[in-house]
Amino acid sequence: SAVISQKPSRDICQRGTSLTIQCQVDSQVTMMFWYRQQPGQSLTLIATANQGSEATYESGFVIDKFPISRPNLTFSTLTVSNMSPEDSSIYLCSQTRGGNEQFFGPGTRLTVL
Amino acid sequence: AQSVSQHNHHVILSEAASLELGCNYSYGGTVNLFWYVQYPGQHLQLLLKYFSGDPLVKGIKGFEAEFIKSKFSFNLRKPSVQWSDTAEYFCAVQNQAGTALIFGKGTTLSVSS
């Protein structure tokens, strides 16, 4: 299995501010993924973060709103910029191990007031 | 675009009842299939996965799922549920090794003792 940690585990933020979420994995991986789970909803992929290249964003998500960094093979950050209450969600990072199996971090629960 | 459909939004069962949660996907090529579980207040855990081979796969905690290619289905089953199975269950599809997952909307299972 994989060990994935996220910081912070939860936060309450004011409208218009930004929050950077950190994700640390215990072994080197090429691809990491960022998902969002809105209240009562399923997980939606935000972007794929490859080390050494720009992140690839899914439809409906843009770099200006969700900038991602991937400085090395074990770490990534997701920033939620200029937040609004609609950004209140759980944000999860994940990584793939053994070719296909995907492991998820514990998530960051964000509440925007 | 790929999609995953989970037919049951909320299932309520008594302990010892049998469980079957439906999952259908739309993708014509080779897929990897997953069921994840999210217990209240906890993060996503992998229940079971199908990559190839025997279409009947067994997972943790007595769960199993059957891949029926002709029906594009991957239904989750358990012969006798327990109160501790109360959780959210997500079906997910991966169309290429190592890539992100496409999730269904999830099914909430409530088991009464």
Side-chain angles (χ1 to χ4, degrees):
Chain A
S1 64
V3 176
I4 304 173
S5 60
Q6 288 185 232
K7 290 181 181 179
S9 59
R10 58 178 64 225
D11 207 341
I12 301 173
C13 300
Q14 295 297 318
R15 181 194 299 260
T17 62
S18 298
L19 176 71
T20 296
I21 302 168
Q22 299 178 8
C23 178
Q24 179 78 50
V25 301
D26 64 339
S27 68
Q28 295 182 345
V29 291
T30 303
M31 286 196 287
M32 293 173 68
F33 307 95
W34 286 98
Y35 292 82
R36 179 175 73 181
Q37 186 178 18
Q38 293 178 300
Q41 303 293 317
S42 185
L43 282 77
T44 302
L45 180 67
I46 297 172
T48 300
N50 292 321
Q51 198 275 329
S53 64
E54 293 284 333
T56 304
Y57 289 82
E58 297 300 303
S59 176
F61 298 96
V62 295
I63 188 171
D64 290 346
K65 175 68 176 177
F66 297 101
I68 288 171
S69 77
R70 185 77 202 277
N72 58 54
L73 291 172
T74 61
F75 188 77
S76 179
T77 67
L78 169 77
T79 299
V80 186
S81 304
N82 188 25
M83 287 184 284
S84 66
E86 292 70 34
D87 294 320
S88 297
S89 291
I90 298 173
Y91 292 85
L92 301 103
C93 66
S94 73
Q95 63 159 140
T96 301
R97 285 278 184 93
N100 295 326
E101 191 165 338
Q102 197 156 124
F103 295 90
F104 288 82
T108 295
R109 184 179 294 271
L110 170 62
T111 302
V112 184
L113 302 177
Chain B
Q2 290 181 81
S3 66
V4 178
S5 297
Q6 291 184 240
H7 317 299
N8 315 101
H9 179 64
H10 192 182
V11 173
I12 302 172
L13 295 173
S14 299
E15 272 195 324
S18 64
L19 170 72
E20 180 159 2
L21 301 182
C23 173
N24 287 88
Y25 64 93
S26 65
Y27 182 70
T30 302
V31 294
N32 299 320
L33 297 155
F34 305 83
W35 275 98
Y36 283 84
V37 62
Q38 189 172 32
Y39 297 103
Q42 298 188 26
H43 63 275
L44 277 173
Q45 299 175 38
L46 181 66
L47 263 183
L48 46 78
K49 58 185 184 278
Y50 173 80
F51 294 159
S52 64
D54 187 344
L56 183 63
V57 293
K58 296 191 183 297
I60 61 172
K61 305 186 181 186
F63 286 91
E64 65 178 32
E66 184 175 12
F67 171 51
I68 302 179
K69 188 174 182 179
S70 61
K71 296 185 177 180
F72 298 90
S73 70
F74 190 55
N75 292 354
L76 181 71
R77 299 194 292 249
K78 186 170 183 178
S80 176
V81 295
Q82 301 173 311
W83 176 81
S84 57
D85 293 324
T86 295
E88 189 87 13
Y89 292 82
F90 295 98
C91 180
V93 169
Q94 182 188 53
N95 70 349
Q96 190 174 343
T99 60
L101 304 183
I102 308 298
F103 282 85
K105 291 188 180 298
T107 298
T108 302
L109 173 64
S110 300
V111 180
S112 58
S113 56

